[in-house]
Amino acid sequence: MQDERIRILIAEDQPMIRRAFASMLALEVDMTIVATACDGAEAVQEARRWQPDIVLMDIQMPRLNGIVATRQIVKDCPDAQVIILTTFDSDDLIFDAICAGAQAYLLKDAEEEEILETIRAVSRGHSRLAPNVARKLLDEFRRVRRAPAPSSEPQDPGEALTDRENDILQLIVAGKGNKEIAANLKLAEGTVKNYVSRILEKLNARSRTELAVKALNRRVE
C-alpha cells in the first residue's frame, strides 16, 4: 500500500529549532520527515533528492537564504510546496518569499496547531498566511489601489521607464534581489542599486514591495 503521509523536508540552520520541529512532526501519524537541511544550498540538494511534498523553510540561512532556495526548489521540484517559517515579518521579505513561490508564510511564534494545520492545508493545495502577514499585504495592496496618481506619475508602471529600467522592474516583481539582478543583466551591483533608486523615484514608490504591488496591480486591471 502506498504511503500517503505528507513527506516533509525541514530547512533550518539552528540545530535546536530544527530538532524541535522534527520532534513535533514525528508525533503526527499523517506526516513523515524525509530529510533535514542546515542551509539553503543543502535544502535545494535534499529537495532534488527526496522530492518532498512540503518544505519548511527558514529565511536567514548560510550559503543560500530561504528565498533564493525557495525559488530554486519551486523550479526544480514542481510538486513541492514551500512554507516559510521565520522570525522575520518585514514587508520586503514577505513579498519576496511569495514572489519566489512560497505557498505559506508563518512566524516561528505560531501555535503548534497552526503550523500543523498549515502543513495539511498547503499539502491539499491551499495557501496560508499568518494573520499579521496577510494584513500587511492587504494594507499595502489597498493603499496602492486608493492612492491617486499625481499628474506627473505614469499610469502604466513601465510607461516612463527606459528599456533597462523596465527589465529591472520585472526582475523585482519576480522577487530577485540586487545581486541576482546584476548577475542576470551582467551589471555591477552598484549600478543596479542606482537603477532601482531611479525607478522608485519615477513611479513614486517608497519600497521595492510597493513597486512590485503596483506592477502586479496594473496587470490585473
Side-chain angles (χ1 to χ4, degrees):
M1 180 178 178
Q2 185 177 359
D3 189 346
E4 296 183 354
R5 290 179 296 176
I6 302 169
R7 304 170 69 255
I8 300 170
L9 164 62
I10 301 172
E12 166 62 56
D13 65 322
Q14 297 295 322
M16 289 184 63
I17 297 177
R18 192 166 62 245
R19 286 195 294 268
F21 285 147
S23 297
M24 176 183 75
L25 299 178
L27 298 175
E28 302 303 309
V29 296
D30 60 339
M31 301 179 189
T32 184
I33 301 164
V34 296
T36 62
C38 62
D39 59 52
E42 187 178 11
V44 173
Q45 177 183 335
E46 292 300 300
R48 289 170 177 163
R49 178 184 179 189
W50 292 99
Q51 297 292 316
D53 302 312
I54 297 290
V55 180
L56 288 183
M57 181 76 74
D58 190 17
I59 286 184
Q60 298 293 350
M61 293 188 294
R63 296 206 287 171
L64 287 182
N65 66 43
I67 291 173
V68 176
T70 293
R71 189 178 301 116
Q72 192 63 52
I73 289 171
V74 168
K75 177 183 176 183
D76 295 346
C77 312
D79 293 331
Q81 306 297 318
V82 178
I83 298 173
I84 298 293
L85 195 54
T86 181
T87 58
F88 301 96
D89 66 345
S90 73
D91 294 359
D92 284 346
L93 285 178
I94 293 168
F95 201 89
D96 286 350
I98 292 171
C99 285
Q103 293 298 314
Y105 196 111
L106 295 179
L107 301 181
K108 287 180 180 175
D109 61 0
E111 296 291 334
E112 178 178 320
E113 193 55 40
E114 182 181 2
I115 295 173
L116 295 174
E117 176 51 33
T118 296
I119 291 172
R120 294 182 175 109
V122 171
S123 74
R124 296 191 298 268
H126 302 297
S127 297
R128 287 291 176 89
L129 298 173
N132 58 323
V133 171
R135 193 175 305 114
K136 281 176 178 286
L137 287 178
L138 289 172
D139 287 348
E140 181 70 7
F141 185 78
R142 288 167 183 152
R143 191 185 67 76
V144 172
R145 293 281 290 189
R146 286 197 305 264
S151 58
S152 61
E153 181 181 357
Q155 297 299 309
D156 187 312
E159 184 179 339
L161 303 182
T162 65
D163 289 342
R164 177 65 79 188
E165 288 167 346
N166 197 50
D167 290 341
I168 290 173
L169 176 61
Q170 299 313 310
L171 291 171
I172 291 172
V173 171
K176 297 187 182 298
N178 288 347
K179 186 174 182 179
E180 292 175 277
I181 294 173
N184 190 291
L185 298 179
K186 296 181 173 57
L187 297 172
E189 189 172 354
T191 301
V192 172
K193 290 180 181 178
N194 291 335
Y195 272 120
V196 172
S197 295
R198 288 202 293 271
I199 295 168
L200 287 166
E201 183 178 357
K202 283 186 175 184
L203 299 188
N204 193 32
R206 297 177 299 181
S207 68
R208 295 167 72 95
T209 301
E210 184 173 338
L211 278 179
V213 169
K214 282 189 173 186
L216 291 173
N217 179 38
R218 179 63 180 83
R219 289 179 185 177
V220 299
E221 286 180 341

